Amino acid sequence: MSDEPTSVLDALRVLAADGYDASFSLVEGGVQCSVCGVAHPIERIRAARVYRFEGPSDPDEEAAVYALRCPRCGAQGALVSTYGAGADPALADHLDVPRARSRDR
């Protein structure tokens, strides 16, 4: 596998290998951790990595994979979301920032 994943599945595999094995889901007003079950406001979540993918010909196939850490329990995991025009604006505005594109700090 190359340094950069070429698909959402590749990104999830890379993250799992690096200890990001929990999952996060979007809920109204925030992001919920699958380990502790707490839903956090988007403003409390920081992305360690962001991978973006575009479908070859279909804008509906755009996706982003975010590597996240739960601010309460410390679990590390991934959140898969739409990217581009269909993305949640609050999530994209908060997590798609230059610091989120770098590797773990």
Side-chain angles (χ1 to χ4, degrees), residues 23-102:
S23 63
F24 290 83
S25 56
L26 287 175
V27 294
E28 179 136 357
V31 175
Q32 185 169 12
C33 172
S34 67
V35 175
C36 67
V38 173
H40 303 281
I42 290 172
E43 301 80 36
R44 291 204 57 217
I45 301 294
R46 298 284 180 254
R49 299 182 213 170
V50 178
Y51 298 108
R52 293 174 195 82
F53 303 96
E54 297 179 19
S57 62
D58 186 353
D60 289 336
E61 293 178 1
E62 294 179 337
V65 178
Y66 299 97
L68 306 176
R69 181 178 175 154
C70 178
R72 177 158 187 228
C73 72
Q76 297 183 129
L79 169 69
V80 179
S81 180
T82 57
Y83 172 67
D88 177 308
L91 181 73
D93 288 348
H94 183 70
L95 294 180
D96 282 353
V97 293
R99 73 178 186 294
R101 292 187 187 108
S102 64

